[in-house]
Amino acid sequence: CMYSIYLTIVRNKDHFLFVLTVFLSFFLLLNNQDPKMSILRGKAIEVVSIISSPFTMAKSFMFLEEENQLLREKTLSLSLQVESMLNLEKENQELLAMLDFKRRTKLMIQPARVVNKGIQPNLLSILINGGEIDGIKKNQAVLTPKGVIGKTIEAADNASIVQLITDSNFRLSVRILPSGATGILRMLKGSTAQIQEVPKNAKINIGDKVVTSGFSDIYPADLPVGIVEGVYEGRSSFQKLINVTLPNNMSAFQYVFVIIEKINELD
C-alpha cells in the first residue's frame, strides 16, 4: 500500500510540487506584514469575492427553489386537510339532520348511502347501497330531510337505482299549501320544477309550501317537495303554471331515506 502511494507521488510529482508551491505562496502572502502585501491581499480577496459571487448566488437560488418546493408541498397538504375537515363537517351535519328526521317521522323508513350515479345514460338516477335485504323494493319513495328526491325503479339484494325528481320523465302529484290546490309537478330546469293543471281561481302566492298530495300509491301525503317561486298564467284560460324551487342540491347529498311502508301520517 505504501509502495503504491510512493509510485503515485513519483508519477505525479510535478502536480504535487505545483500545488505545494501555490499553497506556500498563498501562505507567505497572507502572513506577510508588509503594507504592500496588505494591499495585494485586499485585491486578491476582491477577486476571490467576485469569482465566488455567481456560485454563491446559484447555490442560493437552488436552496430557494428547494425551499419553495417544500412550501408548495406543505401548502397542498394543508389544503387537503382543510378540505377533508370541511367534508367531514358537512357529512356530520347531514347525518344529524337525518337522525333528527328519523326521530320525528312515523313513516317506516330505511336509510341508505349514495354510492354512485345511475348507470342508465337516458335517465337521471343514483345508485344506493340498500336493497331487498333491507326491505327496499321497486316504486318506493326516496327523500332526504329537506324533501322528496325521487323513487326506486330497480332493487337488487344490496343495491337499488333511484330515479331522481330532476329527470325529465319524472312526474309527481302535489298539493300547494295553504290553498290546497293540486297539480302535476315535472322538472323545468336547474333546481326549478313546474306544477301544471292548477285551477286558475286557486289563490297561490310566492313562498307557499308544496307537498305530496297523497293521491299516489308511492308517496304518502304531506312529504315536503319545494317552495313556490313564481305564478304564471297558462295557455289555457282555466289553468295556472306554478314554478317551484326544489330544496335539495341533487349533486350534494350523500344519504337518503327510502319509505319502505306507506303510512299517511307525519308528526
Side-chain angles (χ1 to χ4, degrees):
C1 182
M2 292 298 297
Y3 182 71
S4 298
I5 295 173
Y6 172 75
L7 288 177
T8 301
I9 294 174
V10 170
R11 290 195 191 100
N12 300 280
K13 59 183 178 181
D14 294 336
H15 296 88
F16 281 111
L17 287 173
F18 176 75
V19 172
L20 181 61
T21 303
V22 171
F23 176 78
L24 290 173
S25 298
F26 273 105
F27 179 78
L28 293 174
L29 285 172
L30 294 175
N31 289 277
N32 195 321
Q33 301 301 320
D34 190 298
K36 294 181 180 180
M37 296 308 298
S38 297
I39 297 173
L40 182 60
R41 282 197 297 271
K43 296 295 183 182
I45 292 172
E46 290 179 1
V47 171
V48 172
S49 176
I50 293 171
I51 295 173
S52 301
S53 292
F55 296 99
T56 303
M57 290 179 65
K59 186 176 181 181
S60 177
F61 287 144
M62 291 175 63
F63 175 77
L64 287 174
E65 178 61 29
E66 183 179 353
E67 186 176 24
N68 287 337
Q69 180 64 27
L70 291 174
L71 288 173
R72 284 193 291 268
E73 292 176 1
K74 187 67 174 178
T75 300
L76 177 60
S77 176
L78 291 173
S79 298
L80 293 175
Q81 290 180 28
V82 170
E83 186 67 23
S84 176
M85 291 175 66
L86 291 174
N87 289 336
L88 288 173
E89 181 183 11
K90 182 178 179 181
E91 184 175 5
N92 185 55
Q93 292 174 350
E94 189 174 348
L95 288 171
L96 287 174
M98 292 189 69
L99 180 61
D100 182 60
F101 178 82
K102 190 170 184 179
R103 287 170 177 169
R104 290 185 291 108
T105 186
K106 291 184 178 180
L107 296 170
M108 295 290 293
I109 54 178
Q110 174 66 37
R113 183 185 178 98
V114 179
V115 294
N116 208 339
K117 292 183 178 180
I119 57 177
Q120 300 182 38
N122 60 341
L123 182 73
L124 286 178
S125 60
I126 56 173
L127 185 67
I128 60 174
N129 67 345
E132 293 182 349
I133 291 177
D134 306 297
I136 297 175
K137 302 175 182 178
K138 182 179 179 180
N139 288 330
Q140 291 178 329
V142 183
L143 68 159
T144 73
K146 293 182 179 180
V148 174
I149 64 156
K151 67 177 181 179
T152 57
I153 57 172
E154 295 290 344
D157 288 344
N158 296 295
S160 301
I161 298 175
V162 177
Q163 180 188 17
L164 295 176
I165 193 173
T166 49
D167 183 66
S168 60
N169 296 313
F170 191 92
R171 298 292 184 270
L172 179 63
S173 176
V174 297
R175 185 184 304 276
I176 306 169
L177 302 177
S179 70
T182 60
I184 303 298
L185 179 139
R186 66 178 181 84
M187 197 60 200
L188 193 62
K189 60 180 179 179
S191 61
T192 301
Q194 189 173 79
I195 305 174
Q196 299 179 349
E197 302 179 18
V198 178
K200 185 176 181 179
N201 61 353
K203 294 182 179 180
I204 299 171
N205 299 304
I206 294 175
D208 284 355
K209 187 176 180 181
V210 179
V211 298
T212 51
S213 66
F215 295 158
S216 167
D217 292 332
I218 299 175
Y219 300 93
D222 299 326
L223 296 177
V225 176
I227 300 295
V228 173
E229 70 167 22
V231 181
Y232 308 96
E233 296 294 331
R235 293 181 180 179
S236 168
S237 59
F238 303 103
Q239 293 184 357
K240 285 182 178 179
L241 297 177
I242 312 299
N243 283 5
V244 177
T245 299
L246 302 178
N248 285 295
N249 183 342
M250 292 298 164
S251 62
F253 61 84
Q254 301 180 63
Y255 298 91
V256 298
F257 284 119
V258 181
I259 300 178
I260 60 175
E261 184 176 340
K262 181 180 173 182
I263 304 175
N264 289 313
E265 183 180 2
L266 283 172
D267 280 347

